Structures are given as structure tokens and as C-alpha cells.
Amino acid sequence: MDKWTSYQYDDSFHLVGITIVEGGFNAKQQVTRRSHEYEREHRGCAAIEVKGGPENCPVTMNAEIVEKLHMIRGK
């Protein structure tokens, strides 16, 4: 069963929210949509998607990591 997690960060790259999608139809697409929605609603903030659960949460974030993950996402 696939599990994908969206981590939402504020403009200082502090973790402020987590959304987990487990199973279901195309969990990766659902979690990516949630990340996009968060970024649209909170200008200047960032969200990333990671396969797995909270155990895979990046401890530290910076602009370079977010930019790299957004390029992978195709943003």
C-alpha cells in the first residue's frame, strides 16, 4: 500500500503541517495536489512531498532543497 506525505513549511522553513495519504487511488497525485493547494493559499510558503510517513520528514529545510524538490515535481 502506497503512503505519501505532504510537509507544509512557513516562509522561514519551519514545519507547520503534515498531510498523509495512505492507499487509495494514486496517493502521490493526491498529496501533490494538497501541496499545491497549500502553496497557493499561503504565498511565500513551501510544501514538499515524500514517499512514506512522518519518519521520512526532512529535519532541516532550506530554499535549495525546496527548489530541487519543486523541479522534480515539475513546478
Side-chain angles (χ1 to χ4, degrees):
M1 181 180 303
D2 271 349
K3 181 192 289 187
W4 282 83
T5 307
S6 170
Y7 300 99
Q8 294 101 25
Y9 297 88
D10 64 12
D11 57 355
S12 299
F13 299 111
H14 294 107
L15 185 65
V16 294
I18 297 175
T19 302
I20 299 172
V21 175
E22 188 170 357
F25 183 73
N26 205 343
K28 181 180 179 182
Q29 185 178 27
Q30 290 179 41
V31 107
T32 301
R33 182 176 44 82
R34 302 242 175 107
S35 290
H36 282 285
E37 288 172 358
Y38 174 78
E39 289 177 344
R40 269 194 306 273
E41 292 172 3
H42 301 86
R43 296 282 180 207
C45 297
I48 61 168
E49 306 80 40
V50 177
K51 186 170 186 173
E55 67 276 3
N56 296 330
C57 179
V59 176
T60 59
M61 285 297 292
N62 58 44
E64 292 81 27
I65 293 172
V66 171
E67 185 65 29
K68 177 182 172 189
L69 293 169
H70 282 181
M71 288 180 70
I72 292 169
R73 181 201 289 173
K75 185 172 181 178

